[in-house]
Amino acid sequence: MSDGFDPYVQNGGTTIAIAGEGFSLLAGDTRNVNGYNINTRFMPRVHEVGDDLVVGASGFEADALALVKRIQQRIELYHDNHDRKMNAQSCARMVRTLLYGKRFFPYYVYTLVAGLDKENLGEIYSFDPVGSYEREWCRAGGSAANFITPFLDNQVNLHNQYIPGTNGAEPKPHRLLTLEQAMKLVHDAFTSAGERHIEVGDSVLVKIITKDGVETRILPLKRD
Amino acid sequence: MSFLELTEPWGKPSKNIFFPTSNGVQQNAAPVNSRTVQPIVTGASVIALKYADGVMIAADNLASYGSLARFFDVERLTKVGNNTIVGIGGDVSDYQHLQRILEDLEIKESNHGDGYALQPSHIHEYLSRVFYARRNKMDPYWNQAIVAGVDGDEKEPYVAFADLRGNTYTAPAIATGFAIHLALPLLRKVTDDDHWKTLSKERARAAIDDCMRVLYYRDGRSLNKFSVATITADGVDFQTNQSVSSEWAFAEKQYGYGTQEV
């Protein structure tokens, strides 16, 4: 009898992270699915792990929760061993080792880590399921990533936008977003993705990191 | 393993590790490896919902052997302490093992003798971890479980799900198996938008009965004999041998179902 047990299942979910001047935000929808069924309308996939760091994980929910728990435990150990707050760069490297540690039976999770760097700029790292990672200003992960990424390319990184009147000669220069601008984009990204992707909906949980700590906001979405 | 695979090694000592040969003696004994690859005797759906004073959970008393309705007296709701019920569908042998595990947990906890009792959220966390650990060894407990009870000092209604892969979630109404398609829409109608907070015990029980009736009509692996447990701040009310009314007489006149008269 060959192997009839598939240890993985797709629970859906999409996450977005945007970094700016003085803030970084990590947003994720709260719908948990299994195929065409909705398991629950509120299952957060964006978690605070301590030290004003936020981790967003989507894909296979059991692996995602196990990974986040391990990150939280490792951060507590870091406090015991190094007697200081963990920064985002160290946390990102640690997450990579956690993921690659299961290279041959992976955590089926797309991970995002958000924090604030020493210059008070938002710091975001994105990972693939086996630990490949880099720092970015903007990233969408999870099931609707393919819908949202082009939108973010155009609105955050101003791809294919030119200064009016230059006849396409001068591309718009790169600039960092304010928190209000980023929140508007996140809201639009999720409502649009929710219109076209069955796994996106119900509500969005946003965690915003500033020097004052982590703030949580919940935006409602259509439940269809 | 087939009959031949099981009986063929008899009388054939394995010397081929020292003297490799291709006739007479048994070749490379297959490693004795035991893990669950498919459920055999199975329980079907479990349904649960929150209401104003607590939670209600129900499951029928059938254990099927594939398409054979094999055992009619299986209790698939298990009491864990005075504030939690665990309802389990899926493989019955794995369910019986989980009952043992939960009992051991309760014993260990009561041995502390400190007056603290395990809460449904603790039972759920423990069960999820057990499921996930077995999933990581590719040898799952082939079950879907609903943990229902009243949680903490505030006796908050609590309903949560855990399955063979370690997946977990909580919601005001939860179902497993076929009931996800047939019963959950009915349960969500009375619990959505925080409506469960003002739902009476009678309306909750009516919703449960409605769902069990639909399951009896439409699930080919169901039985009209089930148990319902209600958990409130006052404890557990366990009702067995429940059944729902059903109408089948219309089928007599339905073309294809009844007898044909010309």
Side-chain angles (χ1 to χ4, degrees):
Chain A
M1 182 73 65
S2 69
D3 194 1
F5 171 60
D6 183 358
Y8 295 108
V9 85
Q10 296 280 59
N11 293 118
T14 306
T15 46
I16 300 179
I18 300 180
E21 183 102 45
F23 78 93
S24 65
L25 68 78
L26 226 181
D29 68 339
T30 60
R31 173 177 285 181
N32 188 302
V33 304
N34 189 339
Y36 284 107
N37 298 314
I38 295 177
N39 289 333
T40 184
R41 299 194 184 276
F42 191 76
M43 177 92 171
R45 45 177 60 88
V46 175
H47 310 267
E48 286 180 59
V49 292
D51 292 351
D52 294 333
L53 296 166
V54 175
V55 173
S58 65
F60 173 46
E61 189 69 21
D63 274 349
L65 290 179
L67 178 69
V68 169
K69 221 167 229 166
R70 285 233 289 160
I71 295 171
Q72 285 167 333
Q73 289 167 348
R74 286 289 297 268
I75 289 179
E76 285 181 29
L77 281 174
Y78 186 87
H79 294 158
D80 293 336
N81 290 329
H82 302 286
D83 196 25
R84 65 171 167 187
K85 210 172 153 198
M86 188 171 225
N87 60 35
Q89 186 185 21
S90 308
C91 182
R93 174 56 68 93
M94 181 188 77
V95 168
R96 180 221 135 75
T97 60
L98 289 174
L99 290 170
Y100 198 80
K102 273 173 59 81
R103 168 65 176 79
F104 300 111
F105 185 8
Y107 288 114
Y108 204 128
V109 185
Y110 290 92
T111 324
L112 293 170
V113 171
L116 223 48
D117 73 10
K118 288 199 297 286
E119 279 89 45
N120 206 34
L121 292 172
E123 199 174 358
I124 282 166
Y125 296 89
S126 67
F127 302 77
D128 80 349
V130 287
S132 164
Y133 81 113
E134 65 172 326
R135 181 175 178 181
E136 291 175 306
W137 291 104
C138 180
R139 167 65 72 180
S143 48
N146 289 347
F147 277 123
I148 296 174
T149 303
F151 173 67
L152 260 28
D153 283 345
N154 179 259
Q155 292 294 307
V156 177
N157 296 322
L158 303 176
H159 283 195
N160 300 121
Q161 286 199 54
Y162 298 92
I163 295 179
T166 62
N167 201 30
E170 266 186 75
K172 275 192 185 170
H174 185 265
R175 51 87 196 97
L176 288 177
L177 293 166
T178 66
L179 178 60
E180 291 68 36
Q181 291 171 324
M183 281 299 291
K184 283 206 175 111
L185 289 181
V186 160
H187 199 169
D188 285 343
F190 272 105
T191 49
S192 307
E195 290 293 325
R196 287 293 189 175
H197 196 109
I198 59 169
E199 294 177 356
V200 177
D202 296 332
S203 64
V204 186
L205 192 117
V206 193
K207 290 219 184 262
I208 301 154
I209 307 168
T210 59
K211 58 172 168 39
D212 302 322
V214 182
E215 182 201 339
T216 305
R217 292 191 206 172
I218 296 182
L219 316 167
L221 286 178
K222 280 164 72 173
R223 289 150 70 94
D224 65 356
Chain B
M1 284 178 87
S2 72
F3 179 81
L4 212 55
E5 282 177 88
L6 285 166
T7 57
E8 223 208 305
W10 180 255
K12 293 178 187 154
S14 176
K15 288 198 290 241
N16 68 330
I17 43 172
F18 300 112
F19 306 104
T21 173
S22 59
N23 59 331
V25 295
Q26 181 199 338
Q27 291 287 81
N28 300 320
V32 175
N33 189 17
S34 169
R35 59 195 191 89
T36 311
V37 291
Q38 53 161 338
I40 307 292
V41 177
T42 55
S45 317
V46 185
I47 57 175
L49 78 164
K50 294 187 196 176
Y51 73 101
D53 304 321
V55 300
M56 248 185 227
I57 182 169
D60 68 21
N61 297 128
L62 178 67
S64 309
Y65 186 56
S67 62
L68 171 68
R70 180 74 180 82
F71 304 104
F72 298 114
D73 57 2
V74 181
E75 184 52 71
R76 296 195 292 114
L77 301 178
T78 299
K79 195 157 167 266
V80 187
N82 275 330
N83 53 12
T84 314
I85 295 273
V86 181
I88 296 193
D91 187 86
V92 174
S93 69
D94 283 345
Y95 162 54
Q96 289 168 345
H97 199 257
L98 288 173
Q99 281 183 304
R100 172 73 188 271
I101 287 178
L102 290 171
E103 196 186 352
D104 284 353
L105 182 68
E106 279 287 308
I107 291 171
K108 275 218 184 81
E109 189 65 23
S110 81
N111 281 347
H112 290 140
D114 56 8
Y116 281 105
L118 283 172
Q119 301 301 312
S121 50
H122 304 148
I123 309 282
H124 177 251
E125 180 72 19
Y126 185 77
L127 202 53
S128 318
R129 294 257 122 202
V130 166
F131 275 130
Y132 188 65
R134 293 284 301 231
R135 169 259 181 202
N136 283 341
K137 296 197 292 182
M138 291 295 287
D139 180 14
Y141 286 128
W142 206 291
N143 299 105
Q144 301 83 28
I146 300 183
V147 178
V150 285
D151 193 68
D153 292 329
E154 305 298 312
K155 309 275 191 197
E156 275 286 311
Y158 181 90
V159 171
F161 174 94
D163 76 0
L164 71 164
R165 291 185 184 86
N167 270 127
T168 59
Y169 52 89
T170 69
I174 293 186
T176 70
F178 250 97
I180 291 175
H181 300 106
L182 298 173
L184 207 47
L186 297 170
L187 292 174
R188 282 180 178 168
K189 246 178 129 176
V190 295
T191 56
D192 256 0
D193 299 317
D194 285 347
H195 190 209
W196 63 268
K197 293 183 181 170
T198 50
L199 190 65
S200 68
K201 183 177 177 181
E202 292 71 35
R203 296 275 307 278
R205 180 55 197 264
I208 294 257
D209 280 350
D210 245 358
C211 292
M212 297 310 280
R213 182 177 295 109
V214 170
L215 287 168
Y216 180 48
Y217 277 137
R218 290 298 187 178
D219 182 1
R221 307 281 184 266
S222 64
L223 186 69
N224 193 13
K225 178 167 166 265
F226 57 95
S227 303
V228 186
T230 308
I231 308 120
T232 60
D234 301 323
V236 176
D237 173 27
F238 207 112
Q239 292 177 302
T240 56
N241 254 301
Q242 307 293 294
S243 59
V244 283
S245 58
S246 55
E247 286 188 38
W248 301 89
F250 71 89
E252 292 288 308
K253 301 195 182 69
Q254 198 84 352
Y255 177 70
Y257 287 97
T259 57
Q260 182 162 20
E261 299 181 18
V262 181

